[in-house]
Amino acid sequence: MTAGERRLLVPLYVHPAVDPGAWAALLRAAPALRGVVLNAADGPGRRPDPAFRTAAGRLRDAGVPVLGYVDTGYGRRPLRAVLADVRRHRGWYGVDGVFLDQVPTAPEFLTRYRRLAVCARALGCRTVVFNHGTHPDPGYARIADLLVTFEGDWEAYRRAGVPDWTRTHLPSRFCHLVYGVPQERAGHVSRTAGLRGAGVHCAVPGTGENPWQTAPPPSAWKPRA
């Protein structure tokens, strides 16, 4: 599998001690992973967690980039608090980058998020991901390395559309995160994401308040025929 086929970004929001099998599955899928989002407690938590530190180290040893989850509160959370979480992720878990969640879509926040991205990179983050959950103003594509332009369930994904402006950017700049996916449809999500110009995706069967507690099934990460 080539670097260009590292097409999965996996948010795995479950403690390694609760479901070690899910974390072990990510190691088996390592060649297909664009990254894994580490979320100890809606962020890095108040203190280092040895289980997450070990899980992050194993993924890095397998060549998988680890991204620290940080909530930005749709631009309402103070910049100092956001960057404090980035520092904790870097210091405690040695993350390679940052996954900024709850990022707004409106252009009036561009300056704020440009500054945030610059600061995150200055702290050592090689990858900056913005999770909008939908398509934002095109200006955000000039700031982050990767934009999550869809996050939702399988039924919503089947009906989703793509704005024309995305065609002027490489597919590697866009990611679709889909939950509630029947196992036999995981490969369909991969194909659909490609057709919609997103080179990165994730498809998991989970549902409910936290659908990101399971790893993608093998049918989602095995090389395409």
Side-chain angles (χ1 to χ4, degrees):
M1 183 173 289
T2 66
E5 291 178 287
R6 285 184 175 271
R7 61 188 186 274
L8 295 185
L9 177 68
V10 180
L12 187 56
Y13 301 163
V14 64
H15 196 278
V18 173
D19 191 352
W23 289 89
L26 294 185
L27 293 174
R28 294 192 295 273
L33 295 177
R34 176 69 174 80
V36 171
V37 183
L38 186 152
N39 184 3
D42 291 331
R46 294 187 176 182
R47 59 185 61 86
D49 186 314
F52 276 108
R53 185 184 297 163
T54 298
R58 288 172 176 166
L59 286 168
R60 289 197 308 274
D61 289 346
V64 178
V66 179
L67 309 176
Y69 174 96
V70 178
D71 180 11
T72 71
Y74 295 107
R76 296 187 298 270
R77 193 172 181 218
L79 189 65
R80 180 178 298 180
V82 173
L83 292 175
D85 277 357
V86 176
R87 290 189 185 94
R88 293 186 184 102
H89 271 300
R90 288 279 297 149
W92 296 349
Y93 306 116
V95 299
D96 306 280
V98 64
F99 180 91
L100 299 177
D101 196 21
Q102 298 196 60
V103 178
T105 60
E108 55 262 34
F109 290 95
L110 283 168
T111 299
R112 178 183 183 85
Y113 279 85
R114 186 178 295 109
R115 181 183 177 191
L116 180 53
V118 168
C119 291
R121 292 185 176 110
L123 291 171
C125 294
R126 293 191 292 271
T127 301
V128 175
V129 180
F130 288 174
N131 182 17
H132 305 274
T134 187
H135 287 89
D137 182 90
Y140 288 96
R142 295 190 291 271
I143 303 173
D145 300 292
L146 182 66
L147 302 182
V148 177
T149 54
F150 180 90
E151 182 179 2
D153 64 27
W154 163 244
E155 290 302 325
Y157 190 59
R158 294 174 65 185
R159 302 187 299 270
V162 180
D164 289 341
W165 69 261
T166 61
R167 297 175 186 173
T168 62
H169 297 274
L170 293 173
S172 58
R173 304 295 302 281
F174 301 106
C175 174
H176 295 166
L177 301 179
V178 190
Y179 54 82
V181 181
Q183 185 166 338
E184 67 276 10
R185 295 293 186 180
H188 184 73
V189 171
S190 175
R191 291 188 294 272
T192 302
L195 291 171
R196 294 177 180 173
V200 184
H201 75 283
C202 186
V204 299
T207 58
E209 186 175 342
N210 177 14
W212 304 111
Q213 299 184 72
T214 55
S219 58
W221 52 262
K222 286 184 177 179
R224 298 185 182 98

